Amino acid sequence: MRPGAVALAVSALLLLGAGPPAPPPLPARMADTGGGTQLITAVAPRKDATTGTVTWWNRTGGGRWVKAGSAPARFGANGLVDGASRAQGTETTPTGLYDLPYAFGIEAAPRGTAYPYRRVGPDSWWCQDNDSRSYNRWSEPRAADCRAAESEHLITYRTQYAHALVIGFNYERPVRGRGAGIFLHVHGRGPTAGCVSVSRAAMRRILAWADPARRPHIAVGTQSGSTAVTRW
């Protein structure tokens, strides 16, 4: 077909309402999705944003990614930063692709939860003390070398930690000073201190959806630029 005829054909399709083809779903445009068949994407419009969208996806047997749900999200009070260069205490959300080791909560696991789920009790702490051997780990009771002032007493965050998923940032081999206690959890009153948050209803839906056998990961990033979610 001659170029002029192609242009006329395209114009005819547009007039008929066909429009250009839809872009591939976000996971199909990513460099890496973790190798599993479930994925959560947490995307902000830019690095200094404190809000965005969390979407959870299933990969079908044919290799196609299908959206299972989405919800408005909040990020760190100081936006997002490359996880490899993040510093503790900066209230920034680390970008990157991470696994989701386990779930926890002050409340009982939502019906249908298959993920390993740890209940928060009065002696449950998350150690953020750089001098502790328990750095970036759940500690129950609080480890003797982990200062309370440098840790989160989980039960005091009754709204945020009603339900949560541990994000595997700086978790497998913790680097001191990079940050600890990064979770996907329930919204508080405003931006987070570095975590990703969604509504309580959305968090419960995510926990009922997540299947550890399908090896879900979370990709955190921006729509474009050096921290674009498509880089991971």
Side-chain angles (χ1 to χ4, degrees), residues 57-97:
W57 308 81
N58 291 318
R59 188 176 183 182
T60 67
R64 186 167 61 94
W65 286 99
V66 178
K67 183 169 73 172
S70 66
R74 295 176 187 166
F75 299 98
N78 290 317
L80 297 84
V81 70
D82 187 341
S85 59
R86 183 182 185 269
Q88 185 164 325
T90 55
E91 295 195 337
T92 54
T93 297
T95 60
L97 178 68

Side-chain angles (χ1 to χ4, degrees), residues 119-205:
R119 289 294 297 274
V120 173
D123 291 326
S124 303
W125 295 75
W126 196 274
C127 184
Q128 299 180 350
D129 189 337
N130 283 282
D131 295 326
S132 174
R133 288 172 294 178
S134 299
Y135 179 68
N136 202 19
R137 288 291 185 272
W138 182 297
S139 183
E140 187 172 349
R142 179 171 50 85
D145 68 345
C146 186
R147 293 167 290 176
E150 299 293 328
S151 303
E152 279 194 348
H153 192 195
L154 298 178
I155 204 165
T156 63
Y157 297 88
R158 292 191 173 274
T159 298
Q160 295 94 322
Y161 297 157
H163 306 293
L165 269 166
V166 176
I167 294 176
F169 166 73
N170 200 31
Y171 187 78
E172 185 176 352
R173 295 180 180 86
V175 175
R176 312 289 170 165
R178 183 158 292 170
I182 301 297
F183 312 127
L184 173 62
H185 64 66
V186 177
H187 285 326
R189 293 183 178 179
T192 72
C195 297
V196 180
S197 73
V198 293
S199 70
R200 182 178 183 275
M203 193 68 232
R204 290 176 66 86
R205 291 200 303 272

Side-chain angles (χ1 to χ4, degrees), residues 12-115:
L13 287 172
L14 291 173
L15 287 172
L16 291 171
L26 177 57
R29 291 180 275 127
M30 292 172 56
D32 188 6
T33 58
T37 57
Q38 287 189 330
L39 179 72
I40 300 172
T41 54
V43 184
R46 56 190 184 277
K47 286 197 290 186
D48 63 351
T50 59
T51 60
T53 304
V54 159
T55 306
W56 47 107
W57 308 81
N58 291 318
R59 188 176 183 182
T60 67
R64 186 167 61 94
W65 286 99
V66 178
K67 183 169 73 172
S70 66
R74 295 176 187 166
F75 299 98
N78 290 317
L80 297 84
V81 70
D82 187 341
S85 59
R86 183 182 185 269
Q88 185 164 325
T90 55
E91 295 195 337
T92 54
T93 297
T95 60
L97 178 68
Y98 306 106
D99 64 353
L100 298 159
Y102 62 91
F104 69 91
I106 294 170
E107 298 180 13
R111 184 184 298 276
T113 299
Y115 234 75

